[in-house]
Amino acid sequence: MKRMEEMILAKGKVLPGGVLKVGSFLNQQIDTDLLREIGDEVARLYAGAGVTKVLTVEASGISMATAVGMALRVPVVFAKKHKTSNVDGEVYQARVHSFTHNIDYDMLVSRDYLLAEDRVLIVDDFLAVGAALTGMRELVEQAGAECVGAAIAIEKSFQGSSDKMRAEGFRIESMAVIESMDENGIRFRE
Ligand code: G4P
């Protein structure tokens, strides 16, 4: 998506360690025009997929997932990273290692919100090493539901996981795919 690439070039900041800071338009302050455009674009791409639910993980995935859910007119479910009083009783659970933050955490979602008959679209703001996406795919599998694919705002393909998943037949649609980035600039996939 051209607009996403333009925003990354205009407002993103490349930090050491392959991290892109996008707090000014995606992660902390949210550009709502951009968000609406992302929702419409993802809805267009997955129009024929029969999506019944959007799944993301807290926290930064929720805004994009909501925009997508509104455009597709389906409910949005987000996995929690900590057990709270909202997630009691029966849950689906997946253990995830965050490479960026070097911690392990559990992703949890109530069994009430993912059903065997669901066709689930996974949405997230970043696809880096793919641990979060793999965890969410596990939750969908535990529910016996179908995962139709993933929609990602910013994919960092140089971190390796995304093309491997595509090669295995998993559909991933990213609004911007960064092939490389460093102090000399950011290069997008054509
Ligand atoms: P993964 O998302 O592919 O699993 O990779 P990783 O384990 O490295 O990502 C861990 C966290 O770091 C995720 O957020 C992810 O969105 C975020 N992240 C990864 N690469 C970047 C980047 O280049 N820039 C920014 N801004 N974030 C990145 P999280 O820990 O789940 O936190 P939250 O913000 O969603 O609460």
Side-chain angles (χ1 to χ4, degrees):
M1 198 177 102
K2 201 79 212 135
R3 178 107 184 276
M4 178 61 96
E5 295 184 358
E6 287 167 3
M7 287 296 269
I8 292 169
L9 291 175
K11 299 192 167 170
K13 286 196 177 64
V14 180
L15 302 184
V19 171
L20 179 70
K21 214 168 169 292
V22 291
S24 67
F25 63 97
L26 193 67
N27 261 352
Q28 185 165 16
Q29 173 170 260
I30 295 165
D31 183 315
T32 51
D33 280 340
L34 178 69
L35 193 66
R36 189 178 293 112
E37 217 175 292
I38 292 171
D40 290 345
E41 175 64 1
V42 174
R44 187 186 67 76
L45 289 164
Y46 279 98
V51 175
T52 63
K53 222 159 261 181
V54 169
L55 174 67
T56 190
V57 57
E58 64 177 351
S60 331
I62 295 175
S63 53
M64 175 174 168
T66 304
V68 171
M70 287 172 77
L72 284 169
R73 295 179 168 260
V74 297
V76 176
V77 176
F78 66 90
K80 300 206 173 203
K81 288 180 181 167
H82 306 283
K83 269 205 165 90
T84 70
S85 54
N86 293 335
V87 180
D88 52 3
E90 301 266 286
V91 292
Y92 299 117
Q93 187 162 343
R95 189 108 186 119
V96 175
H97 178 73
S98 165
F99 289 86
T100 304
H101 299 131
N102 197 24
I103 49 156
D104 290 321
Y105 65 91
D106 288 315
M107 249 179 210
L108 305 113
V109 72
S110 166
R111 289 175 185 241
D112 292 340
Y113 306 137
L114 280 184
L115 308 175
E117 60 266 30
D118 276 325
R119 292 177 62 77
V120 179
L121 173 62
I122 294 174
V123 170
D124 213 351
D125 57 341
F126 273 95
L127 175 53
V129 297
L133 179 51
T134 301
M136 284 188 270
R137 289 178 73 184
E138 272 176 45
L139 297 177
V140 175
E141 200 180 312
Q142 286 172 30
E146 176 88 14
C147 185
V148 304
I152 304 293
I154 303 174
E155 172 183 334
K156 298 191 292 181
S157 66
F158 59 89
Q159 291 188 294
S161 65
S162 45
D163 287 331
K164 198 160 158 271
M165 284 192 240
R166 284 195 185 94
E168 290 161 2
F170 184 66
R171 182 175 178 192
I172 302 173
E173 302 284 356
S174 300
M175 302 302 100
V177 180
I178 298 178
E179 288 200 326
S180 65
M181 61 180 198
D182 55 28
E183 60 283 3
N184 301 315
I186 298 173
R187 198 161 62 85
F188 296 103
R189 182 168 290 176
E190 293 292 318

